[in-house]
């Protein structure tokens, strides 16, 4: 089967954008068609200033929400990145293959570094090198496909470049992955700033629908969504981004088409009410399942423990092979030689 790897970073509460843009696709499509691994990439959350307790709390919450969204541990592997040492082991080897120029060309590094500097903070080295860790996440599992949004495609291209370079220098070791941008995934924009993605790390709370928001909170946020000048309801992403965002969210929740949905409305009020109803209904089963899982934390612990064991078993042969290929002495050889040398 095709092997798929994707991860989610515990840097904030998961949003409607995370669900419609990725998690729903993982649950309804990817885990059924492929050998799929879904990872809470907690090591990536350490690249900026953070509260350790919050990272732990959000990691558990993310794992619980992934299961609540429909991921089935009998069909896929769900685990936490830091529970599998092979990610860090391989990351250093790939740092020895990557170049400084490649890291500094990463668009997200430029944006995040500039943001940190504007805040008066220092930029951590890990912020520069984390794309290599992301490459290790992917390459350790012999991944064929990485479902990502357009903003992450550059990182998958780096993983491809590093895999090819390593294979050419040290012998064929890694599968060269490819990025996939699922056509069915929705790109959900901030309700207060429709030019920006609805991101979990965003500070604009009123524009973000979180998966665990109460229904009345969801309704309030949608009803207060920014719209555009003019009263006619038309779908035009370029000139009417606020209205287009609402139509796209409604379409993603109901399986409709944004342009056709626009024809059914004469004003913004009815559109906002229907969009709020649709979002609440889409999130209802996820919220209910999340409550059930929170009442049984031992189940989530067991899934993560078994997922890490399974992931470790997949990754270790590839990472061990990379260590041998690049010239490192296998530990088993040292163990075998030492007793004889001592005699």
């Amino acid at each position: 089967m095709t092997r798929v790897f994707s991860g989610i970073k515990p840097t904030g509460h998961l949003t409607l954008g995370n669900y419609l843009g990725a998690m729903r696709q993982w649950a309804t499509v990817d885990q059924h068609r492929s050998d799929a691994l879904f990872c809470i990439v907690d090591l990536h959350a350490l690249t900026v200033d953070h509260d350790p307790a919050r990272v732990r709390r959000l990691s558990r919450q993310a794992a619980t929400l992934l299961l609540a969204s429909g991921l089935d541990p009998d069909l896929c592997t769900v685990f936490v990145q830091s529970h599998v040492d092979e990610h860090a082991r391989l990351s250093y080897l790939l740092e020895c293959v990557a170049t400084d120029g490649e890291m500094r060309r990463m668009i997200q590094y430029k944006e995040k570094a500039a943001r940190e500097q504007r805040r008066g903070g220092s930029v951590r080295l890990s912020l520069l090198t984390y794309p290599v860790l992301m490459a290790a996440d992917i390459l350790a599992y012999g991944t064929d496909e990485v479902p990502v949004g357009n903003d992450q495609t550059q990182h998958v291209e780096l993983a491809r470049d590093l895999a090819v370079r390593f294979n050419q220098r040290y012998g064929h070791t890694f599968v060269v992955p490819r990025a996939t941008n699922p056509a069915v995934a929705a790109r959900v924009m901030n309700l207060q700033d429709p030019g920006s993605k609805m991101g979990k790390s965003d500070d604009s709370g009123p524009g973000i629908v979180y998966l665990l928001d109460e229904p009345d909170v969801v309704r309030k946020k949608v009803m207060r969504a920014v719209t555009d000048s003019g009263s006619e309801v038309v779908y035009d992403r370029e000139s009417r981004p606020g209205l287009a965002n609402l139509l796209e969210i409604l379409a993603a929740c109901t399986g409709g088409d944004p342009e056709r949905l626009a024809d059914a409305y004469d004003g913004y009020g009815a559109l906002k009410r229907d969009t709020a109803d649709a979002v609440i209904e889409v999130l209802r089963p996820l919220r209910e399942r999340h409550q059930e899982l929170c009442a049984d934390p031992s189940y989530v612990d067991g899934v993560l423990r078994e997922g890490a064991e399974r992931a470790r078993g997949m990754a270790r042969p590839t990472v061990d092979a990379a260590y041998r290929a690049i010239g490192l002495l296998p530990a088993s050889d040292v163990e075998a030689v030492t007793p004889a040398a001592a005699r």
Side-chain angles (χ1 to χ4, degrees):
M1 296 179 69
T2 298
R3 181 160 289 174
V4 168
F5 177 94
S6 199
I8 200 156
K9 186 164 55 174
T11 51
H13 298 288
L14 299 186
T15 72
L16 178 67
N18 295 127
Y19 180 70
L20 296 179
M23 294 164 62
R24 185 172 64 173
Q25 165 85 8
W26 298 348
T28 60
V29 178
D30 291 331
Q31 70 172 341
H32 297 283
R33 71 172 181 87
S34 62
D35 181 10
L37 299 99
F38 301 108
C39 181
I40 296 89
V41 287
D42 54 344
L43 295 176
H44 290 287
L46 310 185
T47 59
V48 295
D49 190 31
H50 63 278
D51 174 14
R54 186 170 187 265
V55 171
R56 284 191 291 269
R57 185 170 63 252
L58 290 176
S59 295
R60 170 170 283 279
Q61 184 184 91
T64 306
L65 283 169
L66 287 180
L67 296 174
S69 73
L71 292 186
D72 183 346
D74 290 332
L75 297 176
C76 65
T77 303
V78 181
F79 66 105
V80 176
Q81 179 190 32
S82 63
H83 294 177
V84 180
D85 293 344
E86 278 64 29
H87 291 256
R89 289 181 63 208
L90 182 55
S91 182
Y92 180 72
L93 292 198
L94 296 180
E95 284 187 12
C96 297
V97 176
T99 68
D100 175 76
E102 285 175 315
M103 297 300 97
R104 296 187 185 279
R105 284 195 296 271
M106 292 288 121
I107 294 171
Q108 289 209 357
Y109 168 72
K110 293 179 180 179
E111 293 175 348
K112 291 180 179 180
R115 187 160 58 244
E116 284 295 314
Q117 289 168 346
R118 283 196 300 271
R119 292 172 177 171
S122 58
V123 178
R124 300 186 180 190
L125 179 61
S126 56
L127 187 62
L128 178 67
T129 61
Y130 90 90
V132 176
L133 176 58
M134 183 174 175
D137 299 338
I138 296 166
L139 299 181
Y141 296 99
T143 302
D144 298 297
E145 296 181 4
V146 188
V148 291
N150 291 331
D151 59 334
Q152 291 290 335
T153 300
Q154 186 185 34
H155 290 155
V156 181
E157 288 302 315
L158 174 68
R160 289 175 55 85
D161 291 342
L162 295 182
V164 169
R165 191 177 306 155
F166 192 101
N167 290 346
Q168 290 175 341
R169 290 180 181 176
Y170 307 114
H172 185 78
T173 306
F174 299 116
V175 173
V176 180
R178 61 184 179 276
T180 59
N181 303 115
V184 297
R187 182 171 172 81
V188 181
M189 312 305 284
N190 190 299
L191 294 174
Q192 293 297 316
D193 179 13
S196 301
K197 188 174 68 171
M198 186 183 287
K200 60 184 179 297
S201 302
D202 201 318
D203 295 329
S204 180
I208 304 171
V209 174
Y210 296 105
L211 297 185
L212 296 180
D213 277 347
E214 295 290 341
D216 61 333
V217 174
V218 173
R219 187 175 302 282
K220 184 181 295 185
K221 288 179 177 179
V222 174
M223 294 303 294
R224 293 179 177 176
V226 168
T227 50
D228 313 287
S229 60
S231 58
E232 185 182 6
V233 178
V234 295
Y235 178 68
D236 187 333
R237 166 53 69 184
E238 295 299 320
S239 63
R240 309 285 292 279
L243 186 56
N245 189 36
L246 289 172
L247 289 166
E248 289 175 357
I249 291 172
L250 179 59
C253 290
T254 62
D257 176 81
E259 292 188 26
R260 293 180 180 178
L261 286 170
D263 295 336
Y265 294 96
D266 296 324
Y268 296 156
L271 171 61
K272 288 183 174 182
R273 285 192 294 273
D274 286 354
T275 302
D277 288 342
V279 171
I280 290 168
E281 184 58 27
V282 160
L283 296 184
R284 180 184 55 77
L286 181 147
R287 286 171 46 81
E288 291 175 353
R289 179 59 177 153
H290 178 265
Q291 290 180 338
E292 295 173 359
L293 291 170
C294 285
D296 186 12
S298 63
Y299 173 76
V300 177
D301 289 340
V303 168
L304 295 179
R305 183 172 55 252
E306 293 173 9
E309 290 174 359
R310 193 184 310 163
R312 197 176 299 117
M314 295 180 193
R316 182 163 294 169
T318 298
V319 177
D320 285 349
Y323 267 60
R324 290 192 300 271
I326 206 169
L328 299 178
L329 184 66
S332 58
D333 288 357
V334 175
E335 293 168 0
V337 169
T338 300
R343 290 196 298 270

